[in-house]
Amino acid sequence: IPPLAVLVTQSVTAYVRMTLGILIPIYVISFLLFAFYRLSSQASGFRGSMDTVIACTPILGTTVKLLAATRFLRVLAHLHEAGMLPDQALKISYETCGNAYLSSCIAGSFKKLGDSVPTSKVLAASGVFPHLVPTMLATGEESGQTGRLLNKAADLTEQDMKVSLHR
């Protein structure tokens, strides 16, 4: 934005002309970048690459991964509580977690281990969850309280996310 001295020494039209000459290109470039991001994020390849880059970013990556993990765990808990089979619930959960990086890690370990392996082993093999999450899930699978312990794990993951935001 031009200095106010232009407004005082010259006319209002000169000030407006200088202001619009600076702001309009900024707005146009911002709109084009936003439109490019929105259109290209619908393509799975770009989305996967973008999520991988964000996940590898030191501060932002941890928070984004924990947010996606929380969402994944909550969906998985609700599906377990609704009575869905574990392998189907796992597949739906990683498809709807909202993060292509997390989804590909879980899908890779699920496909490598197969559908006869307990969910806790699949999550442990994915390597994207804190160690406590697969341990809690294994306890839930043994005790028959999978949904309850998945919700607890989601709560703990959400608390970790909030702590990482405040650092």
Side-chain angles (χ1 to χ4, degrees), residues 52-67:
T52 302
V53 167
I54 290 172
C56 294
T57 305
I59 296 171
L60 182 64
T62 304
T63 305
V64 169
K65 283 191 290 189
L66 288 172
L67 177 65

Side-chain angles (χ1 to χ4, degrees), residues 40-54:
S40 57
S41 68
Q42 294 172 357
S44 62
F46 179 80
R47 172 97 189 226
S49 301
M50 190 64 136
D51 283 347
T52 302
V53 167
I54 290 172

Side-chain angles (χ1 to χ4, degrees), residues 50-167:
M50 190 64 136
D51 283 347
T52 302
V53 167
I54 290 172
C56 294
T57 305
I59 296 171
L60 182 64
T62 304
T63 305
V64 169
K65 283 191 290 189
L66 288 172
L67 177 65
T70 301
R71 189 177 306 132
F72 169 81
L73 291 170
R74 294 228 188 267
V75 170
L76 188 60
H78 291 305
L79 292 174
H80 269 285
E81 289 172 349
M84 187 170 278
L85 294 174
D87 59 330
Q88 293 173 344
L90 185 65
K91 187 174 182 183
I92 290 172
S93 297
Y94 73 69
E95 288 174 351
T96 59
C97 73
N99 188 300
Y101 173 76
L102 185 83
S103 179
S104 67
C105 289
I106 298 169
S109 65
F110 180 66
K111 289 175 184 170
K112 183 171 68 174
L113 295 176
D115 57 354
S116 61
V117 175
T119 307
S120 58
K121 293 198 185 287
V122 173
L123 296 188
S126 70
V128 293
F129 292 97
H131 178 69
L132 186 61
V133 171
T135 306
M136 288 179 73
L137 181 56
T139 304
E141 289 170 343
E142 290 173 8
S143 66
Q145 297 182 354
T146 305
R148 186 170 151 258
L149 284 172
L150 278 169
N151 276 322
K152 279 282 199 202
D155 290 341
L156 291 173
T157 308
E158 187 174 9
Q159 286 177 356
D160 285 350
M161 180 196 63
K162 288 178 182 177
V163 166
S164 74
L165 276 174
H166 287 59
R167 284 187 200 176

